Amino acid sequence: RRKVDSEGRRFQDRWKVEYFFTEIENHCVCLICQETVAVYKEFNVKRHYQSRHSTYDKLTGHDRSEKLKQLEAVLIECVMKMVENICPEKKQEFANICLARNTVARRIEEISSDIKRQLTSKGVDFDFFSIACDESTDLSDTAQLLIFMRGVDDEMNVTEELLDLQSLTDQTRGKDLFVSVSSAIDDMKLPWNKVTGIITDGAPAMVGERSGLSTLICNKVIEEGGKAIKLHCIIHQQVLCAKHLKYDHVMKPVLKTINFIRSKALCHRQFKQFLLDIQAEYEDVLYHNDVRWLSRGSALQRFYSLRKEIGEFLETKGQPMRELSDPIWLADLGFLVDITKHLNVLNTSLQGKDAAVNQLYSHLKAFGTKLQLFIRQLSQTQPNTIHFSALQEIMNSFPQDNISAQTSRYAADIASLAGEFKRRFQDFAAIEKEISLFSSPFSVDPDDAPDQLQLELIELHCDSELRSRHQQLSLVNFYRQLDKSRFQEIRTLAKKMLSLFGSTYMCEKTFSAMNFNKNRVRTRLSDSHLRDILRIKT
């Protein structure tokens, strides 16, 4: 005779909606009459429902789901009243009991569905929107394509949300990504002629001139009567510019030393204890991870701060670091620490949600101006190192050495870095006029503005009340209060600029959440559940 336990029968979550049953302490309980079914078998559950509660068949769809919620609420209320009468001191413990895994999964699905429904209703009112796309591989080797949307309605309300997470089990060519993005946009019933731009991380499949995702998207928008621009994530480009200053003769010894200290457990313990005994400023050195945006600057700054302690420790290990006694090398180290610190400040300012493209570009232009200042100061006969504190400290520590002669080389390196910034950010430079017109409309000469904006721009310049509002209000509120009939073209430009992404920061942040949720002990998390979790998370 077969045994029930050996058959592996389990409660099926669909029985809740189909038969109004739930699982309580390994018992299959009817939510309507609270009777139990002895065996987890669909035939028994179905027979009980059809023989006792067939009148509930008239409930379908949303009405049936609402009835299920009511019955579950009644059951919980009954249990809590029973607990309150029998053992009131345990009421809070019962209230904190975790929900069943199926219930948690169902509620996550419902919340995600509701968020998507709200986004769909908002999308109907969008005048313009842009998309941000990035692709990464999860722990189960599935390529996950994140698609974010930034839309603007007629009242200048900006919505920045996850449009979809598309899972690709085959190739990730430009045309494969395009099919996924098209599916997400069409599923949300968004018109293609309202797309103003697409921003990606710069991978070949994303930015290829012929078959890249950006090219295919722009071609599709043109076919539908619109116009979209292609942008390369401003943060990714900044990171690539930072790598232009290689300084391998500094980085290699630093990384070699850090790896020597941290790669062996005994050596690492001894080093930390050594720092503790001498009451050093920090407790440890930091690993360098080339993928993390701020890692290089953080690792260099920590190494520089502990350079004397590191030298003493390596002497005790019989592994002296000769570079630490070379003033020129220390000056190069100090310069690299300072310039990476400035680059990290720029990177941090470019991060964040809901950042408008004009704000990001202003940070970029400000950094370019700073670089020109650094070049002038370091090129002087008496170099000014006020903005290079580490380099200044090394120069003061070795006054007899001619370290100041190296500053001309540092100025040339900064000039090379400035040239790299200018070369890489040509896509943002191409829309600089539109950005200036959007962010500072009163400082733009009408003769330099597009033809369709010139008359409205003159009207704007001559209105002293609007000039006063522009100085007092935020940029979004200023355009929100402009008369719709009088400044129609200017408002259209403002909506287009507000709809543009400046970076794929939200994609990177969401991938971190993806790796946290779908980790090495949860690789069986389904793609649909992962999508629901990330939609709620963002």
Side-chain angles (χ1 to χ4, degrees), residues 41 138 147 288 304 316 384 409 476 482:
K41 192 174 181 181
D138 63 22
I147 309 168
H288 168 56
Y304 176 81
T316 64
N384 183 355
R409 176 164 59 89
V476 175
L482 284 183

Side-chain angles (χ1 to χ4, degrees), residues 19 42-53:
Y19 310 121
E42 185 170 10
F43 174 80
N44 296 348
V45 175
K46 185 177 181 180
R47 182 178 60 183
H48 173 91
Y49 171 77
Q50 290 180 341
S51 61
R52 305 276 186 93
H53 313 297

Side-chain angles (χ1 to χ4, degrees), residues 395-412:
M395 293 175 67
N396 294 336
S397 301
F398 300 93
Q400 71 279 9
D401 295 278
N402 192 22
I403 298 179
S404 59
Q406 304 296 320
T407 55
S408 59
R409 176 164 59 89
Y410 301 148

